[in-house]
Amino acid sequence: MAKTGTTTQGLRAAIERSGYYPALVAEAVEAAVGGEPVVSYLVHQETTFDSNEVRRHVTVLVLTSTRFIVSHTDEQAADGTSPSPYATTSTESVKLDRISSVVLSRVVANPEAYTPGTLPREVVLTIGWGAVSRIDLEPAACGDPNCDADHGYTGSSTADDLSLRVSEAGDGPDTVRQALAFAQALSEATVATAR
């Protein structure tokens, strides 16, 4: 379940409500935020099914006046390296002027009957700041079907630092609204730093 808001206390409460190792997640996020006031945040817990295992993870996005902070926590079952289950938490702090892209994809049902303000069925928030890029290459070709010359490669490079999907069916309508609100706050903040 995702939660969004604008206070440090609200952020702590949202992490606790997620119920996913709240002490661990809150400590990591609060250390990354430091003393900066929280402008907006989004807490998203997701459960996935991997073969015969159920895996949970939580992503916390925080916006301050100068930074975008992303924290991700995964749980792992006991394995050859650890006799007991464990969790891995990472945080990354990105200066707002480094964010190069905030993409919000909306999926709407019955687009021919869409009215402004209708909640999308799902949204995917993709944020790029240059830490990770995906390159898709394929052989280039010409229009001649009999040509066997090497035309090199063609492709595209896509920023792929963070992608977060929330849906009305899986997460509820409030979660979709909250993801939209966070995306708008982040987009506005990146415009403000570009001036």
Side-chain angles (χ1 to χ4, degrees), residues 63-129:
L63 177 62
T64 72
S65 61
T66 62
R67 297 178 297 145
F68 165 68
I69 298 163
V70 59
S71 175
H72 188 81
T73 303
D74 282 303
E75 64 183 355
Q76 305 293 324
D79 59 20
T81 64
S82 176
S84 60
Y86 60 98
T88 303
T89 300
S90 62
T91 57
E92 183 172 1
S93 177
V94 181
K95 288 183 177 182
L96 287 177
D97 62 2
R98 295 246 354 253
I99 294 180
S100 58
S101 174
V102 178
V103 179
L104 184 67
S105 299
R106 303 167 189 243
V107 177
V108 298
N110 304 315
E112 70 282 354
Y114 178 79
T115 56
T118 301
L119 195 63
R121 179 168 82 188
E122 71 180 57
V123 296
V124 178
L125 174 60
T126 304
I127 303 165
W129 58 91

Side-chain angles (χ1 to χ4, degrees), residues 104-173:
L104 184 67
S105 299
R106 303 167 189 243
V107 177
V108 298
N110 304 315
E112 70 282 354
Y114 178 79
T115 56
T118 301
L119 195 63
R121 179 168 82 188
E122 71 180 57
V123 296
V124 178
L125 174 60
T126 304
I127 303 165
W129 58 91
V132 178
S133 293
R134 181 181 69 239
I135 298 176
D136 295 318
L137 293 176
E138 61 184 42
C142 66
D144 181 357
N146 297 319
C147 180
D148 60 358
D150 182 357
H151 294 286
Y153 289 88
T154 185
S156 62
S157 175
T158 308
D160 201 20
D161 294 311
L162 174 77
S163 190
L164 185 70
R165 177 188 171 268
V166 296
S167 69
E168 186 176 25
D171 302 297

Side-chain angles (χ1 to χ4, degrees), residues 10-93:
L11 172 59
R12 176 69 174 223
I15 290 170
E16 288 175 1
R17 277 191 306 275
S18 80
Y20 185 82
Y21 307 119
L24 173 65
V25 173
E27 180 180 55
V29 170
E30 289 168 359
V33 171
E36 266 192 282
V38 173
V39 173
S40 186
Y41 61 84
L42 178 66
V43 177
H44 183 254
Q45 183 192 342
E46 185 174 17
T47 302
T48 57
F49 301 93
D50 183 17
S51 297
N52 295 329
E53 293 183 35
V54 176
R55 292 183 174 258
R56 299 180 307 152
H57 56 99
V58 67
T59 302
V60 180
L61 308 179
V62 180
L63 177 62
T64 72
S65 61
T66 62
R67 297 178 297 145
F68 165 68
I69 298 163
V70 59
S71 175
H72 188 81
T73 303
D74 282 303
E75 64 183 355
Q76 305 293 324
D79 59 20
T81 64
S82 176
S84 60
Y86 60 98
T88 303
T89 300
S90 62
T91 57
E92 183 172 1
S93 177

